[in-house]
Amino acid sequence: MSAPEMRTTQLTQTRETQSFYKRVVARLERHAAKLLAAGDMAEIPDRNVRVAIAYACLEPTVTEATARLYRAAILHLIESEPGERDWDVLKIIDPEPSASESDRQDELRARRAQNLQTLRGAQQKAKWLSMADWTRLGEALGRSRSNWAGPARHWITATLLSGLRPCEWRRAELDGASLVVVNAKATNGRAHSATRTIGLAKCDRTELAVVASFLELVRSYGEDGYKSLYDGVRDLICDVARETFPGRDRYPSLYTARHCFAARAKATYSKVEVAALMGHASTATAGRSYAPARHARGGRPLEAEPSANDIDAVRRAQNARNLFSEPKDMP
DNA sequence: CAGAAGGAGGATGACGCGAG
DNA sequence: CTCGCGTCATCCTCCTTCTG
């Protein structure tokens, strides 16, 4: 058969994403093996069809976001390792709109509602934590005898001040009172520029010292040690948060600190300035995905300051989009 | 035995964009 | 303005092993 037309957009995936997709496919294959062992699936020689059937089986047990990831992984499988029956695979993962398909979607929603009663994975991440609770968490970490307790407290404090994503500390550098960060999530025009510069001159000396010593700590772990540092700190915060705030359904993590930073940024700055601080190309992102400003209203304004260059970069990205999408608005 | 480290496995959030 | 898409980053649990 000829290669089916399955994409409407151009692919821009990185090698990391492709190897990630391979792992997802491996997971689907394992599920197919389970189905076969349980007698719930006939023996199917075509690997791609096996994977698609496993997908169809898992679809009602995961959220739409996860199902979408599974579909992306299967499309990558079809493109990198085409099979004889890929047309059938496409029919399974991307059915034609029809009356029966619409019924199927309704049933899918109902089964998902049934299956997804508890928060799973990243859903348990709190998008806001009060300063009082951060203090409680910090004190609890202080009582921990874990080697990661010190790094965890520094990491949280440094993130509340600067808003960096956890992965961004690896390549961040302090230049006087400016933090220079290589923006993550920078492919597909998602970051305003390659780096962003966060001014920390308004922070007091002890806060700046925490950022500096945390960066030293990150350096001391080196490129290869970053993962173990991150794993250790994240797991410790996970454990301590659950001991400290029993009964909640969402718990603070390192990314929660970025949310809190975003809320204070929104309460302090304009949308363009917030995007510059967070590394976003679009001013809409902070509004859509991050904690609302009302959480931070009445609190101290943010110490961190966006750089003029980054603000310009966000404006340019914004203008470039407007030129293409709304030409009639031009004078 | 409790707490912690390490690793494997599984899931969802957060990005910008284009279509409707 | 909303939603789905392709992509990249983060979250979590479970299990085993180590250590005091």
Side-chain angles (χ1 to χ4, degrees), chain A residues 148 150-159 162 164-166 168-170 172 174 179 207-221 226 229-230 233 254:
Chain A
W148 304 115
R153 298 178 75 178
H154 274 52
W155 202 325
I156 289 170
T157 303
T159 303
S162 66
L164 266 59
R165 299 176 178 92
E168 289 177 324
W169 290 100
R170 188 197 328 232
L174 205 50
L179 193 58
E207 289 174 331
L208 205 52
V210 168
V211 175
S213 73
F214 179 61
L215 282 169
E216 282 297 310
L217 180 83
V218 170
R219 293 280 168 277
S220 73
Y221 275 80
Y226 192 79
L229 173 65
Y230 183 22
V233 166
L254 287 173

Side-chain angles (χ1 to χ4, degrees), chain A residues 19 34 78 90 97 115 133 135 139 157-158 160 169 234 283 290 300:
Chain A
S19 74
K34 256 189 226 167
I78 288 178
L90 285 174
N115 291 329
D133 279 348
T135 303
E139 287 165 358
T157 303
L160 287 171
W169 290 100
R234 186 188 52 224
T283 55
Y290 282 86
R300 301 194 328 273

Side-chain angles (χ1 to χ4, degrees), chain A residues 176-195:
Chain A
S178 291
L179 193 58
V180 181
V181 187
V182 177
N183 288 320
K185 298 203 176 193
T187 61
N188 297 322
R190 292 188 293 178
H192 58 61
S193 27
T195 64

Side-chain angles (χ1 to χ4, degrees), chain A residues 6 29 33 53 57 74 84 88 91 100 102-103 117 121 128 176 205 240 251 263 268 277-278 286 312 315:
Chain A
M6 44 209 159
E29 277 213 281
I53 290 176
C57 172
I74 293 174
E84 295 295 315
D88 292 332
K91 271 205 300 198
S100 65
S102 148
D103 287 349
Q117 305 248 356
W128 171 256
R205 299 184 75 81
V240 172
Y251 301 93
T268 308
L277 272 173
M278 313 249 335
D312 280 348
R315 289 220 173 92

